[in-house]
Amino acid sequence: MRNSTIFSGIIGLIGGAFTTLFGGWTAGMTTLVLFMAIDYVSGLIVAGVFQKSTKSETGALESKAGWKGLARKCMTLIFVLIAYRLDLLLSTNYIRDAVVIGFCANEFVSIVENAGLMGLPLPAPLKRALEVLRNKAEFEENANE
């Protein structure tokens, strides 16, 4: 057997297991993973090219901040897995979808923030929505201290 055949088989097995674990591959999952990748790459661009990252003290690329971002993305997928398992437990089929949609919205906000840090002009309603979300997050953070 050729090495490429073995490698392809292993990748297929891992992909199949991953897909089964998350309850199948849906448009929502594709969208979430795509948004996560765009957010991560745009964050790298903000830090590496524009040096305006809010995740590091200097605004530049920092490996620790990058690893934290990847850890958060993994935790997002763990929440999707948990939601799918809850769907199975409760004989429902909407918890995973709701979690995926919520995380897609969160990734979208982060992508828009990154675009703003790059200097992309944002429409006024989008700026106001981001400001409201930031203020809400700061309020909740201060309330928890």
Side-chain angles (χ1 to χ4, degrees), residues 16 18 36 47 89 114 120-121:
F18 185 81
M36 289 168 71
L89 181 67
N114 288 341
L120 187 73

Side-chain angles (χ1 to χ4, degrees), residues 10-124:
I10 290 170
I11 295 298
L13 185 64
I14 291 169
F18 185 81
T19 301
T20 301
L21 198 59
F22 285 88
W25 201 258
T26 63
M29 287 294 292
T30 301
T31 303
L32 177 60
V33 170
L34 180 65
F35 280 17
M36 289 168 71
I38 292 169
D39 178 45
Y40 192 77
V41 170
S42 65
L44 290 176
I45 293 169
V46 165
V49 176
F50 296 92
Q51 298 190 346
K52 292 184 176 182
S53 175
T54 59
K55 309 293 187 212
S56 67
E57 288 183 28
T58 63
L61 275 175
E62 188 179 280
S63 62
K64 187 176 180 181
W67 282 110
K68 283 182 177 180
L70 288 175
R72 286 185 192 106
K73 304 292 184 209
C74 288
M75 199 64 206
T76 297
L77 293 176
I78 289 170
F79 271 99
V80 173
L81 171 66
I82 290 168
Y84 170 63
R85 297 308 302 180
L86 285 171
D87 268 341
L88 289 177
L89 181 67
L90 301 172
S91 297
T92 61
N93 59 2
Y94 56 84
I95 298 172
R96 181 189 70 161
D97 291 342
V99 168
V100 167
I101 290 167
F103 280 118
C104 281
N106 187 57
E107 294 294 333
F108 176 73
V109 167
S110 184
I111 292 166
V112 172
E113 286 176 340
N114 288 341
L117 290 170
M118 290 180 199
L120 187 73
L122 300 174

